[in-house]
DNA sequence: TCAGTTAGGAACCGAATGGTACCGAATTTT
DNA sequence: AAAATTCGGTACCATTCGGTTCCTAACTGA
């Protein structure tokens, strides 16, 4: 072994992820990446292979942090009933929207639209993340007494769509106005415990 | 007047719109644009000012065609009740998803995420389109006997979110599985005539 | 017919793109 | 202390980017 790194790879990755999150794949030029990651080209290409690789890695990181945290929240029985936690999730989005308009949106959602470089690998990652969210919602729904599996699956997918739609609206600064109203609709979908 | 154009500007614009729709602003390189529009640079820059201008024009065109058509559908009383028309709209999305997976999604939705070059002008256009959709849904809801204005507004926004979320999922080839389930949730939101 | 105008196309532009090669400096191992 | 290794940084690369200029061919109106 020899000279150790002068930067924290995780920290740099995190900054890269946030840039991709904010501006997407193509708009995140290499020089912009280097600037926000605060490393130089040499370090970049040595630590991460190339732009596309770090994008994939950024998606993984999003999965491991934000998505995982969300799923964990949805399945944490200490936070109340499944219904409460689902409403809590949407409440968080609403709060985000109230604060800064949620202009960054959701990286998963942005990437779904971006389809950047859209190798099959990217798409598979995105699909897996979507499924994890859907299942998180589904399991929270299934906790309720008398819950029906088929109906809960349908409801989970409806809630997922509302969630993604809301985050999309955030990109244009519209979710602040929408979030509250959407939560009302979430409540209505949660009204029937079977679903 | 002198030598007339050898191409149909509307037709060319239409092709440009579809390219932006498919791959977004940045990924639609100038050469790709010229290839799909089947014109050369000279003609391009003479007929349309530059790339950003034609993008804005493409958004306008989407507004005048797809969005307008959707709003018209939602307000066409010959097609049945407001409820029927709203379900019909989602049915169309489901059919699109069944056929090709709706991989192009919705240009409005894609652009919301893209925020391409995101001048205030772009965002204003997008916001206006979103509002038109929302109002289309709202008016269809308000047709129902005993409809409440506030509740219908909330419901319209919930439906809008489902709609956008569904189109996002289409980009990753997921809406075919989701569309049917989402329609069930739309039905549930339509259950109470006051909303 | 012919002057005036506008189309289409090619050549060309500087800047920025993602990516590579290589260098000297720093640090560990022997 | 010396050898081995790997760092950060710079210079450089071909390619592509969006955009301009200019020339010629084609068409119109008088």
């Amino acid at each position: 072994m020899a000279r150790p790194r002068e930067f924290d790879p995780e920290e740099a990755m995190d900054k890269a992820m946030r840039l991709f999150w904010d501006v997407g794949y193509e708009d995140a030029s290499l020089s912009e990446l280097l600037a926000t990651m605060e490393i130089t080209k040499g370090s970049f290409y040595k630590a991460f292979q190339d732009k596309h690789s770090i994008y994939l890695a950024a998606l993984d990181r999003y999965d491991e942090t934000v998505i995982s945290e969300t799923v964990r929240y949805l399945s944490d029985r200490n936070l109340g009933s499944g219904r409460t936690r689902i409403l809590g999730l949407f409440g968080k989005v609403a709060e985000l929207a109230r604060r800064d308009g949620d202009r960054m949106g959701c990286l998963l959602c942005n990437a779904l639209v971006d389809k950047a470089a859209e190798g099959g690998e990217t798409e598979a990652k995105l699909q897996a993340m979507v499924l994890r969210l859907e299942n998180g919602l589904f399991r929270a729904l299934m906790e309720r007494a008398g819950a029906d599996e088929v109906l809960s699956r349908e409801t989970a997918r409806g809630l997922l769509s509302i969630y993604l739609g809301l985050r999309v609206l955030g990109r244009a600064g519209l979710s602040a106005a929408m979030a509250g109203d959407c939560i009302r609709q979430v409540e209505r979908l949660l009204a029937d415990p079977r679903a």
Side-chain angles (χ1 to χ4, degrees), chain A:
Chain A
M1 279 301 121
R3 181 179 175 183
R5 278 208 183 82
E6 292 178 6
F7 67 95
D8 178 359
E10 284 228 349
E11 196 180 316
M13 253 289 305
D14 218 82
K15 291 173 178 171
M17 181 189 77
R18 270 197 283 270
L19 184 61
F20 284 130
W21 190 346
D22 194 21
V23 305
Y25 182 76
E26 284 290 338
D27 276 341
S29 73
L30 196 54
S31 51
E32 230 176 327
L33 272 170
L34 300 177
T36 61
M37 296 172 77
E38 293 178 293
I39 60 177
T40 54
K41 249 178 199 177
S43 315
F44 178 89
Y45 277 97
K46 228 156 272 174
F48 320 94
Q49 287 123 293
D50 53 17
K51 193 186 169 183
H52 190 253
S53 300
I54 203 180
Y55 179 70
L56 256 38
L59 290 184
D60 282 337
R61 184 159 182 82
Y62 190 79
D63 193 8
E64 294 158 8
T65 56
V66 181
I67 300 291
S68 287
E69 164 59 25
T70 304
V71 172
R72 198 178 313 121
Y73 178 89
L74 281 173
S75 58
D76 186 350
R77 285 182 151 86
N78 297 325
L79 300 172
S81 68
R83 178 180 188 280
T84 302
R85 275 132 52 196
I86 289 175
L87 284 172
L89 172 63
F90 281 90
K92 280 185 173 186
V93 176
E95 190 192 321
L96 216 68
R98 233 178 288 122
R99 282 234 293 266
D100 65 359
D102 192 24
R103 302 204 82 98
M104 301 246 314
C106 161
L107 174 53
L108 166 58
C109 188
N110 299 351
L112 281 169
V113 172
D114 221 17
K115 277 209 303 180
E118 62 163 308
E121 191 178 354
T122 311
E123 197 164 294
K125 274 189 203 303
L126 299 178
Q127 289 183 350
M129 279 193 257
V130 168
L131 190 63
R132 283 194 345 110
L133 276 181
E134 179 190 319
N135 284 336
L137 291 162
F138 172 70
R139 284 191 300 266
L141 289 168
M142 283 298 289
E143 278 178 28
R144 302 176 309 164
D148 177 87
E149 195 158 335
V150 174
L151 293 181
S152 293
R153 177 60 67 183
E154 289 177 356
T155 305
R157 290 179 169 176
L159 292 176
L160 179 67
S161 284
I162 294 181
Y163 179 81
L164 294 176
L166 208 43
R167 304 305 297 266
V168 167
L169 289 166
R171 292 285 285 179
L174 288 167
S175 64
M178 302 273 180
D181 292 346
C182 282
I183 289 183
R184 290 310 232 293
Q185 306 314 304
V186 172
E187 280 172 350
R188 294 177 65 199
L189 294 184
L190 292 171
D192 181 354
R194 284 172 304 155

